[in-house]
Amino acid sequence: MSHSENGVGVRQAQKLQSRRALLDAGLHLLEQQNLSGLGVREVTRAAGMSPAGFYRHFSGMSELGVTLVEESLASLHGMIRGAFAEQRGQQDPEALIDSAVEVVAAHVREHRAHVRFLARERHGGVREVREAIGAELRRFADEVAGALAAQPVSRGWSAEEVRMLAELYVDLLVTSATAFLEAGPEGEREVARTARTRLRLISVGRRHWHEG
Amino acid sequence: MSHSENGVGVRQAQKLQSRRALLDAGLHLLEQQNLSGLGVREVTRAAGMSPAGFYRHFSGMSELGVTLVEESLASLHGMIRGAFAEQRGQQDPEALIDSAVEVVAAHVREHRAHVRFLARERHGGVREVREAIGAELRRFADEVAGALAAQPVSRGWSAEEVRMLAELYVDLLVTSATAFLEAGPEGEREVARTARTRLRLISVGRRHWHEG
DNA sequence: TCATTCAGTAAACAACTGTTTGCCGACTCG
DNA sequence: CGAGTCGGCAAACAGTTGTTTACTGAATGA
């Protein structure tokens, strides 16, 4: 019995390592540049590989970009699920807001380059990447909508109203994430404070929405 | 007396026309591309000019970018002032929200390329342009803060609370603008509807903020 | 009228680009 | 062991790029 069935041969591992090197090099270069201006040679040079080698892993730059999108949002998805798990255990909306903001802050702290990439390419010049980010964000809103619908505060809200609200929350969190990014570590507390205030303002509006 | 004192000689006019051609060509190319990937030769070719001519007008690409930023926000500024003028004449917050959203919608409708440029480069790879957009947006928030402070609803709000609120409004309007952009003309009504709902939700939250 | 200014040009610079080709050599697997 | 797979490389392709140079010729203004 060889390692053919678990897919972790020496060969496979080396290929994956090269692929990782390309992705890391690309991510690094994209901190000061846009994807639409990133070159194949530039990336391979930074990854210590010959230009031709790039095409063993990606058909072109936009494919590398889409891969980075998936990678960037995968970890966030996990953290969000964690935050929702906390919600089930406790009902205080203040605490939920605090933990949501903290989740975002932590994610930006630990995945700076990925988040910067998302912010930069969300409206960037490469359509495939833009669409990938948009689709992922829409799925994200789906999850939030599901969680909101389960809250007792949502009694009397239609499905589309809840969906709207979810999109608002997502947009606010995305905005907060880019604010964390621009503020840097020293301004983190301040950004978190305004993010919490914004969310609380929505909370209040939500409670008094159906009153006339 | 020649035209030396009003600056509208034939020479000046021709130069301005060329400059305009460069800016228009750039703006057009930037609809499918990022500034960090835009080339001097590319722009001059599209503008019907020799590459060297570019440097008679701009020191480099980022200077052209900053010029486009100023240009892009100048018209919006005017429209915003108009919307605020309407406010003074009438107190219904619903109507103010409606007119604010309509101002944004109209601006996107009439300046698609400029708005797309702003959305694309707001977090783009060219620092000078990013900073120019950020500064302009902050001035925008100043104006909104001033207008909010004048509203009777703001009684009991501190200056920083009002400022926070103004930034929230600006972020929401910017988000709405990019939503208009992505939706296209046919989805405009829908985007306007959710934009209004968001603003109303904030309105409600604002009224009930200081209640415990 | 006539010297001056200056927007725009053509040409040259060295360096860069994406992509394809054929090849090598280490891994894979019966 | 031996045939086959395949990730990575060097080289060549036919362009492209930003920027500087010295120039031309029309607009300028005394």
Side-chain angles (χ1 to χ4, degrees):
Chain A
M1 174 197 80
S2 82
H3 38 237
S4 63
E5 59 193 39
N6 44 20
V8 285
V10 176
R11 197 128 188 198
Q12 203 87 298
Q14 282 173 342
K15 178 169 185 182
L16 242 77
Q17 197 175 23
S18 298
R19 186 185 154 97
R20 192 93 287 283
L22 287 172
L23 288 167
D24 287 345
L27 202 53
H28 178 70
L29 290 167
L30 286 169
E31 290 186 37
Q32 347 225 36
Q33 199 176 168
N34 267 111
L35 185 64
S36 75
L38 188 62
V40 171
R41 290 187 115 104
E42 205 178 347
V43 174
T44 55
R45 197 184 310 129
M49 183 181 298
S50 89
F54 179 88
Y55 297 95
R56 300 280 183 204
H57 299 273
F58 306 100
S59 69
M61 259 308 157
S62 51
E63 194 169 296
L64 182 142
V66 173
T67 305
L68 283 177
V69 173
E70 292 163 1
E71 207 174 88
S72 298
L73 286 171
S75 56
L76 178 64
H77 245 76
M79 294 182 101
I80 291 297
R81 278 183 209 283
F84 285 163
E86 288 184 32
Q87 180 202 353
R88 245 182 296 282
Q90 88 138 64
Q91 292 292 6
D92 182 17
E94 293 284 308
L96 178 58
I97 285 177
D98 288 4
S99 83
V101 171
E102 181 46 39
V103 162
V104 172
H107 188 258
V108 175
R109 218 181 291 130
E110 290 160 30
H111 304 279
R112 260 195 137 50
H114 279 96
V115 175
R116 164 162 290 129
F117 166 74
L118 288 176
R120 187 154 288 174
E121 301 302 329
R122 186 181 179 195
H123 305 288
V126 183
R127 186 160 45 83
E128 287 142 289
V129 171
R130 255 181 357 236
E131 285 170 359
I133 295 176
E136 211 71 51
L137 247 35
R138 237 169 285 127
R139 272 194 267 171
F140 188 13
D142 289 341
E143 283 191 71
V144 174
L148 289 182
Q151 289 180 331
V153 207
S154 301
R155 204 167 291 279
W157 287 63
S158 75
E160 42 192 343
E161 282 177 318
V162 170
R163 171 73 203 194
M164 253 187 189
L165 196 61
E167 283 170 7
L168 174 55
Y169 276 122
V170 170
D171 278 353
L172 283 182
L173 291 179
V174 168
T175 304
S176 298
T178 71
F180 277 123
L181 216 52
E182 286 168 11
E186 67 280 3
E188 190 176 307
R189 293 191 65 79
E190 178 62 16
V191 172
R193 208 169 67 84
T194 86
R196 281 193 298 266
T197 306
R198 288 176 172 203
L199 293 176
R200 287 207 192 97
L201 195 59
I202 307 283
S203 261
V204 173
R206 191 144 84 103
R207 277 200 297 277
H208 298 85
W209 182 246
H210 291 118
E211 284 185 2
Chain B
M1 173 197 84
S2 82
H3 38 240
S4 64
E5 58 194 39
N6 45 20
V8 286
V10 176
R11 198 130 189 194
Q12 204 86 298
Q14 281 173 343
K15 180 170 184 181
L16 241 79
Q17 197 175 22
S18 296
R19 186 185 154 96
R20 191 93 287 282
L22 286 172
L23 288 167
D24 287 345
L27 201 54
H28 178 71
L29 290 166
L30 285 169
E31 290 185 39
Q32 346 226 35
Q33 200 175 169
N34 268 111
L35 186 63
S36 75
L38 188 62
V40 171
R41 290 187 115 104
E42 206 177 347
V43 173
T44 54
R45 199 184 310 127
M49 183 182 297
S50 91
F54 180 88
Y55 297 97
R56 300 281 182 202
H57 300 273
F58 306 101
S59 70
M61 260 308 159
S62 52
E63 195 170 295
L64 182 143
V66 171
T67 304
L68 284 177
V69 172
E70 293 163 2
E71 207 173 89
S72 298
L73 286 171
S75 56
L76 178 64
H77 245 75
M79 292 182 101
I80 292 297
R81 279 183 208 283
F84 285 165
E86 288 185 33
Q87 180 202 352
R88 244 183 296 282
Q90 89 138 65
Q91 293 291 6
D92 182 15
E94 292 284 308
L96 178 58
I97 286 177
D98 288 3
S99 83
V101 171
E102 182 45 39
V103 162
V104 171
H107 188 258
V108 174
R109 218 181 292 129
E110 292 160 29
H111 305 278
R112 258 193 139 51
H114 279 97
V115 175
R116 164 161 289 129
F117 165 73
L118 288 175
R120 187 154 286 171
E121 301 301 330
R122 185 181 179 194
H123 305 287
V126 182
R127 186 161 46 82
E128 288 142 288
V129 171
R130 260 186 346 245
E131 285 170 359
I133 295 175
E136 211 70 50
L137 248 35
R138 237 168 285 126
R139 272 193 268 170
F140 188 13
D142 288 342
E143 284 192 68
V144 174
L148 288 183
Q151 290 181 331
V153 207
S154 300
R155 206 166 288 281
W157 287 63
S158 75
E160 42 192 344
E161 280 177 319
V162 169
R163 170 76 202 193
M164 253 188 188
L165 196 61
E167 283 171 7
L168 174 55
Y169 276 122
V170 169
D171 277 353
L172 283 182
L173 290 179
V174 168
T175 305
S176 298
T178 71
F180 276 123
L181 214 54
E182 285 169 11
E186 67 281 3
E188 188 176 309
R189 292 194 65 81
E190 177 63 15
V191 172
R193 208 171 66 84
T194 87
R196 282 192 297 265
T197 307
R198 287 177 172 203
L199 293 177
R200 289 210 190 96
L201 195 59
I202 307 284
S203 260
V204 173
R206 191 145 84 103
R207 277 200 297 277
H208 297 83
W209 183 246
H210 292 118
E211 284 185 1

